[in-house]
Amino acid sequence: MFVVIFGRPGCPFCVRAQQLAESLESASVIEGHRYVDIWAEGISKADLEKTIGKPVATVPQVFIDQQHVGGFTEFDQYVRDNALLA
């Protein structure tokens, strides 16, 4: 599994999503992760909406193996539901 997180500077949930991805990577649950700073990359919420296929109100937006999971809360729930961390 590979995780991609789209976020922005100063976003506490973006930081938490990164920390969760790092924990999964340290536990060898995922192959790796990439954090994409939407401000630095010039990506707008409209761009994310086109990729996701529905309105985007917040960041982070998390993808696992190119499948949209949602924000931090959904990412955290996905990890719990699939017992990815002990």
Side-chain angles (χ1 to χ4, degrees):
M1 282 191 290
F2 193 84
V3 174
V4 178
I5 302 165
F6 290 88
R8 64 168 177 75
C11 165
F13 284 101
C14 298
V15 172
R16 291 175 67 188
Q18 269 191 283
Q19 290 170 339
L20 182 53
E22 288 168 2
S23 296
L24 291 168
E25 195 171 353
S26 294
S28 299
V29 175
I30 62 172
E31 296 168 21
H33 78 282
R34 178 174 176 233
Y35 180 80
V36 179
D37 180 337
I38 63 171
W39 286 0
E41 299 291 328
I43 300 169
S44 69
K45 286 184 181 176
D47 295 330
L48 285 175
E49 288 174 0
K50 288 177 192 170
T51 302
I52 294 168
K54 63 182 181 180
V56 173
T58 62
V59 289
Q61 291 299 315
V62 182
F63 291 78
I64 298 177
D65 290 337
Q66 299 179 349
Q67 182 176 358
H68 183 246
V69 174
F72 169 75
T73 304
E74 293 81 12
F75 180 36
D76 185 54
Q77 191 63 51
Y78 179 92
V79 169
R80 292 171 193 266
D81 289 349
N82 292 284
L84 298 180
L85 287 176

